Amino acid sequence: MPSYIFVSPGSDPGAGLALVDPMLSSSKPSMGTCRPDLRRMVKPGDHIFVISGSRGRTIPQYVIGGMQIDKKLDDQLEALRHRPENAVRFEGTQRAGNIIALPDGTQHPLDDHDKRDREKFESRIKNYILGKNPVMLVTPKEVEIGRDRSVGILSNIFDVPGHRMQQVVGRGRKLSHAQVDQLLRALDDIKREARS
């Protein structure tokens, strides 16, 4: 079964740029708008991991976290019935929520992607993922260690030399079951070290 890791441009929770999708910080993780290609390919039991977006060479990217796929819903209309709290909204200036469909199947006015392209919208709302077993680097110490070690961890997992995330992962990569286990252990080690 394929699992995936990908870069989320513009996301860096450690620097105050929230990760909006997937939503990993709750006990009910989910993914609903980002990377429709990956959402289409994964199956229950697979994992999805996310890397922070590039913010220049002075701020290293890091593995933000990930989740295991518990269930896939057909689309966001079904998701809206299961998780209405995940409807898109703004909390101050920060966008929150990953359901961009209204109950009548139209695009939520707060979603500004491809407003004139109905076909793209319909593609984006398919394959809503309900997750389980989320892991996320949250505390400042976890993020600091994550920034320091993520490229090395992924370089070792993929057996690809490199000193920058782009060299090792590019936009994203597929993970084997063994590689998922390695990455989960590495994230657990970072969290444990940050607590000590």
Side-chain angles (χ1 to χ4, degrees):
M1 292 188 287
S3 293
Y4 296 91
I5 187 166
F6 70 95
V7 174
S8 177
S11 298
D12 190 327
L17 300 169
L19 175 66
V20 176
D21 195 50
M23 295 170 62
L24 300 175
S25 59
S26 77
S27 61
K28 297 178 178 179
S30 63
M31 184 171 173
T33 58
C34 188
R35 295 301 304 262
D37 57 329
L38 299 185
R39 288 186 285 117
R40 183 180 64 250
M41 292 186 279
V42 293
K43 305 218 177 329
D46 296 343
H47 287 76
I48 290 179
F49 297 92
V50 186
I51 299 167
S52 64
S54 176
R55 302 193 58 237
R57 292 181 186 253
T58 59
I59 303 175
Q61 291 172 267
Y62 71 104
V63 178
I64 298 168
M67 67 177 174
Q68 187 174 22
I69 311 310
D70 186 31
K71 187 187 294 186
K72 277 174 61 171
L73 305 178
D74 288 336
D75 59 32
Q76 288 191 10
L77 297 178
E78 188 178 357
L80 200 52
R81 291 188 292 275
H82 282 77
R83 301 261 175 92
E85 69 275 14
N86 287 356
V88 71
R89 64 196 177 284
F90 276 86
E91 295 171 353
T93 59
Q94 178 59 55
R95 181 180 162 157
N98 63 5
I99 297 176
I100 58 170
L102 294 171
D104 65 0
T106 59
Q107 188 171 3
H108 196 292
L110 292 177
D111 179 55
D112 57 359
H113 287 79
D114 306 313
K115 286 229 185 259
R116 293 181 302 261
D117 193 336
R118 179 73 187 172
E119 192 174 308
K120 269 191 181 175
F121 169 71
E122 288 177 0
S123 167
R124 287 177 63 222
I125 66 171
K126 290 181 181 171
N127 299 306
Y128 190 88
I129 293 173
L130 301 177
K132 63 181 180 179
N133 304 323
V135 60
M136 187 171 178
L137 301 183
V138 178
T139 70
K141 187 66 174 172
E142 290 171 355
V143 171
E144 177 188 334
I145 297 168
R147 285 193 197 283
D148 185 52
R149 298 196 188 147
S150 287
V151 170
I153 289 166
L154 295 174
S155 178
N156 182 50
I157 287 173
F158 294 121
D159 194 25
V160 174
H163 302 289
R164 293 181 37 238
M165 197 62 77
Q166 196 84 30
Q167 296 168 314
V168 177
V169 177
R171 184 172 177 237
R173 290 191 69 143
K174 193 182 285 191
L175 292 152
S176 70
H177 183 70
Q179 290 169 328
V180 166
D181 288 344
Q182 282 181 275
L183 184 51
L184 287 170
R185 280 195 306 274
L187 291 170
D188 284 343
D189 288 346
I190 289 171
K191 291 179 83 62
R192 192 169 24 259
E193 182 178 335
R195 284 192 301 270
S196 61

